[in-house]
C-alpha cells in the first residue's frame, strides 16, 4: 500500500503511513525515497498507527495507535536513529478521547481528538494522561491537526458548511 497519511516532519524528511486500516508500520521519506520503516509488530507492540510527533529534546518518535483492546490506545517512544529501531518506552491509556493529531511543544504533547469536536487536549508525555482541555474557537469547524513551528501552535480544521480549510494560531494567557 502507498502512504496516504502524513504523520510528522523530521529534519526535512516526512514520516508517512497508509491509513488503510490495521497499519502497524510507518515510513520515513526523503524526497520520494523510503529511507526507514518502523514496524510496531517488530517492536513487540502491535498497534494500528494513528498519529505521531517528534520529541524535540531527544529526536525520538512519539507514536499513538489503537491496541488490540478496543478500550485502550498506546503511546510508544521510539529511537529510530539507527537500526534496529529501539523501543524507549510505552504507555497505555483509555481510547476516549481518541487522538487524531499529535504535536510536541518541548515539554508537553498536544492533540486534537476524533470524537470530541472542537477540543484541544494537553497530555503529560510521561503518562499519556490528559492534563488540560481547551475548547476551540469555532464549533462549526472540525479541528483535525495540531502543529508547532518556532514555538507557535497552529491548528488546522475544515468548516462543516462548505469544506473550506482554516488554520488558526492558538495563543494562551500568560502563566498557563
Amino acid at each position: 500500500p502507498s502512504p496516504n497519511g502524513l504523520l510528522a516532519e523530521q529534519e526535512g524528511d516526512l514520516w508517512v503511513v497508509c491509513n488503510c486500516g490495521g497499519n502497524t508500520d510507518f515510513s520515513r521519506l526523503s524526497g520520494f525515497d523510503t529511507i526507514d520503516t518502523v514496524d510496531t509488530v517488530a517492536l513487540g507492540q502491535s498497534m494500528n498507527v494513528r498519529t505521531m510527533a517528534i520529541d524535540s529534546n531527544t529526536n525520538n518518535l512519539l507514536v499513538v495507535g489503537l491496541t488490540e483492546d478496543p478500550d485502550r490506545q498506546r503511546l510508544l517512544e521510539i529511537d529510530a536513529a539507527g537500526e534496529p529501531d529501539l523501543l524507549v518506552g510505552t504507555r497505555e491509556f483509555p481510547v476516549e478521547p481518541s487522538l487524531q493529531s499529535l504535536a510536541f511543544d518541548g515539554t508537553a504533547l498536544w492533540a486534537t481528538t476524533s470524537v470530541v469536536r472542537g477540543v484541544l487536549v494537553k497530555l503529560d508525555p510521561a503518562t499519556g494522561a490528559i492534563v488540560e482541555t481547551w475548547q476551540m474557537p469555532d464549533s462549526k469547524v472540525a479541528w483535525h491537526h495540531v502543529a508547532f513551528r518556532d514555538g507557535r501552535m497552529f491548528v488546522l480544521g475544515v468548516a462543516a458548511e462548505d469544506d473550506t480549510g482554516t488554520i488558526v494560531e492558538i495563543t494562551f494567557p500568560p502563566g498557563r
Side-chain angles (χ1 to χ4, degrees):
S2 61
N4 61 12
L6 176 63
L7 295 173
E9 179 273 337
Q10 185 177 32
E11 300 170 346
D13 297 335
L14 299 176
W15 285 97
V16 297
V17 67
C18 175
N19 284 326
C20 42
N23 49 297
T24 61
D25 64 341
F26 53 98
S27 299
R28 184 175 183 170
L29 301 181
S30 181
F32 294 104
D33 298 322
T34 300
I35 60 171
D36 192 8
T37 297
V38 176
D39 187 353
T40 62
V41 174
L43 293 171
Q45 298 292 324
S46 180
M47 66 180 195
N48 182 2
V49 176
R50 303 258 313 180
T51 187
M52 181 174 101
I54 307 297
D55 181 328
S56 55
N57 301 316
T58 64
N59 221 23
N60 288 344
L61 313 179
L62 303 168
V63 185
V64 171
L66 302 175
T67 68
E68 302 81 25
D69 179 343
D71 297 323
R72 307 292 292 167
Q73 57 189 334
R74 184 177 293 140
L75 170 66
L76 303 179
E77 183 174 354
I78 302 168
D79 179 350
E83 291 299 329
D85 299 317
L86 176 64
L87 181 65
V88 176
T90 181
R91 308 142 191 82
E92 286 196 13
F93 47 98
V95 76
E96 297 300 335
S98 181
L99 306 183
Q100 182 169 343
S101 173
L102 194 65
F104 186 69
D105 71 0
T107 59
L109 288 167
W110 295 84
T112 57
T113 64
S114 61
V115 176
V116 183
R117 297 288 182 190
V119 174
L120 180 69
V121 295
K122 180 179 178 182
L123 301 119
D124 178 337
T127 65
I130 294 173
V131 294
E132 295 183 58
T133 301
W134 277 275
Q135 190 67 40
M136 290 298 293
D138 188 343
S139 63
K140 295 179 182 173
V141 174
W143 298 101
H144 294 294
H145 299 282
V146 60
F148 282 89
R149 180 72 175 173
D150 299 326
R152 298 164 57 202
M153 179 192 292
F154 300 90
V155 182
L156 176 138
V158 177
E161 66 228 19
D162 59 5
D163 278 343
T164 56
T166 185
I167 298 174
V168 296
E169 181 176 359
I170 304 295
T171 55
F172 297 99
R176 67 156 169 96

